[in-house]
Structure formats: structure tokens, C-alpha cells
Amino acid sequence: MIVTAALRAGTLTLIAAEIPDAARDARRLMAFALDVAPDRLTLVSGDEISLKQAIRFEESVASRALGRPVSQIIGRRHFYGRDFIVTPDVLDPRPETEILISAALEQPFQKVLDLGTGSGAILVTLLAEQMGANGQGADISDAALNVASRNAVALNVSERADFVKSDWFENVDGDFDLIVSNPPYVTADEYSALDKGVREFEPKLALTPGGDGLMPYRLITERIQSFLRPFGRLLVEIGPTQGAAVKAMFKESGLSEVQVLKDFDARDRVVIGRLVP
Ligand SMILES: C[S@@+](CC[C@H](N)C(=O)[O-])C[C@H]1O[C@@H](n2cnc3c(N)ncnc32)[C@H](O)[C@@H]1O
């Protein structure tokens, strides 16, 4: 069988399983099966597919049809221009989080703290982009911290990054001129309405803190004064309905220049503030 025919069959399987973006996912899985970069797939589309490659593709498609995210099947996710290791222990880094990265990089920083680092996507990207800076990634999950450390090594920032098991600020030491967080923020009600694939395959701990989804922001803003250097910045990712509530918490905690930034779909996505003494 040639690549295009196998690809068509895989796409149809994903469409039948009601997977959104079935064609795009099938292409990513085929690139994985053939071990070629996704943007080179067209160049090999007329080639014969080997039995081993066909089996790998079919197994991947079957797994995706059950709802497993592509990143977990191929073990990788492209984020802000780099490939990150992704396992079932961490949130699959989302494109929306790149908004937080761009905003953080608008000003230089020396020392960054990433609360709820997960795969390390935020911390590792910031350190890779800001040469000379160092930082700490904190997470309550040992398994996530292990993935974050592997990403720091793979992306050559491990000498500037350290990782700590911590319930938000609990075991964090020192002060920082940039603190970032993409905490779990889905409400308890929203969680039960999430896509089955997300609920079944991504860690609940990474998605929801329960209740109104705002508890991590309360805990972070309550203690922010002890960890942020003068003129330091706090940036957090939020859910689209949380802008006003989180903005109010930033102001309540004494931060200034508080702004809510929008994502690609014009939904509130990041809250930013600065500690002006
Ligand atoms: C939404 S994920 C973000 C992962 C990664 N920073 C990203 O943006 O892709 C939230 C992360 O917060 C961590 N987390 C949940 N509760 C926590 C707590 N009480 N203290 C520290 N980290 C926590 C989860 O383990 C998870 O890795």
C-alpha cells in the first residue's frame, strides 16, 4: 500500500470515531509511523509503506480513535518552536499558553519561578529564550517533575533550571523577578463536561482544582509579596471567564499595572501585574 492510501484509511477511521481535526491528526501519526518530519510527509506520499510502518500507523490511529491525545501517542508536543517530551503524567502543552510566553518575554528577567510546571514547557521555553537567566519549576507531582527535568536536559537548559516538589509556594525558596503559572483552573462543573479524551487521558490534577477553579490564584496571589522582587512581574494563564476575578485578586494582593491579555480567539487568557513598591 502507498502512504496516501494508508493515510486516507486512517483519516476515515478517525472521522468515524468523531475525532476533531481527523485529517491533521492522521498526518501527524503517519509522520510518526514513517519517522519523518510532518512537513516532509508530502514528499513521501507516493512511497510504499512497509509492514512495520503500517502496523505502527494502525496502532496509533486505533489509540487516537479511543481519544488518546496525539502528543501522548508520539511522546512529543511542539511548543513555541521546540519539541517537548509529553507523557500521560503531564498536561499536553496548549497553544494558548504561548500567549503567556510572548508576554513574559516582552521584558528581560534574571530569575523565573514557574508554579505548576508540568512538562516544564513554560520554564524551559523561557530559559531557552532568555540566555543567562535561571529558574525554578515547582509542581506537586513527582512524575511531572521528572518529565520537566528530562525536557530541561533535552533542550539544554538543565544547568540553569532546578525543580522542586512543592504545593504552590510551600517549598519554594528565594525571590524572583518573574513568576509565571498556568495552574489547573477548570471548574468542577466544567470538568465533567470536558471532552472524554481529555478527562480519560490527561491528569485531573493538571486540569481542575475543583470548586470554582480559582483556588490556585487565591493561594498564589496571597503569598506573592514574599516571593516577587520589587518591580517583578506575575503572569498567570486563566480560563476565559476568570479575567475579572483574577484581576481583582492581583489588585487585592498589591500588584499594579494589572492587565488581562486576550488569546487568538479574543478570549481573556493571561493576567499580568507588577510589584511596584
Ligand atoms: C495546567 S497544568 C500546567 C502545566 C504546564 N505548566 C503547562 O503550561 O503546560 C497545571 C500543573 O499544576 C500542577 N499542580 C496542581 N496542583 C498543584 C499544587 N497544589 N501545587 C503545585 N503544582 C500543582 C499539576 O501537577 C500540573 O502539572
Side-chain angles (χ1 to χ4, degrees), residues 138-202:
D139 206 291
I140 203 162
S141 154
D142 282 316
L145 288 167
N146 181 273
V147 176
S149 306
R150 287 167 59 203
N151 277 317
V153 170
L155 293 164
N156 299 317
V157 300
S158 59
E159 286 181 3
R160 294 185 285 127
D162 74 275
F163 295 96
V164 59
K165 181 170 182 174
S166 180
D167 184 355
W168 304 124
F169 283 118
E170 216 47 50
N171 300 326
V172 172
D173 238 352
D175 56 358
F176 304 84
D177 57 354
L178 177 65
I179 297 181
V180 290
S181 185
N182 174 18
Y185 54 67
V186 171
T187 69
D189 286 349
E190 285 166 352
Y191 183 76
S192 37
L194 279 182
D195 220 45
K196 191 164 157 266
V198 175
R199 269 185 291 127
E200 265 183 31
F201 294 102
E202 296 200 69

Side-chain angles (χ1 to χ4, degrees), residues 207-224:
L207 291 160
T208 180
D212 64 0
L214 294 168
M215 190 50 87
Y217 305 111
R218 290 191 189 100
L219 297 172
I220 292 171
T221 52
E222 270 168 14
R223 297 189 67 188
I224 195 69

Side-chain angles (χ1 to χ4, degrees), residues 85-149:
I85 299 160
V86 172
T87 73
D89 297 312
V90 296
L91 185 92
D92 183 6
R94 307 291 205 263
E96 297 84 53
T97 305
E98 295 183 343
I99 311 272
L100 183 149
I101 300 283
S102 302
L105 290 172
E106 275 177 16
Q107 288 172 28
F109 56 89
Q110 281 301 314
K111 199 174 166 204
V112 53
L113 170 66
D114 178 16
L115 292 168
T117 198
S119 64
I122 298 178
L123 179 73
V124 170
T125 301
L126 291 175
L127 293 180
E129 294 286 328
Q130 178 79 62
M131 295 311 286
N134 57 65
Q136 186 165 84
D139 206 291
I140 203 162
S141 154
D142 282 316
L145 288 167
N146 181 273
V147 176
S149 306

Side-chain angles (χ1 to χ4, degrees), residues 10 13-14 17 19 29 55-68 73 201:
T13 303
L14 295 185
I19 299 295
L29 295 174
I55 291 171
R56 198 177 189 200
F57 179 62
E58 273 170 28
E59 286 175 352
S60 304
V61 166
S63 186
R64 180 69 190 117
L66 291 174
R68 188 174 286 283
I73 298 168
F201 294 102

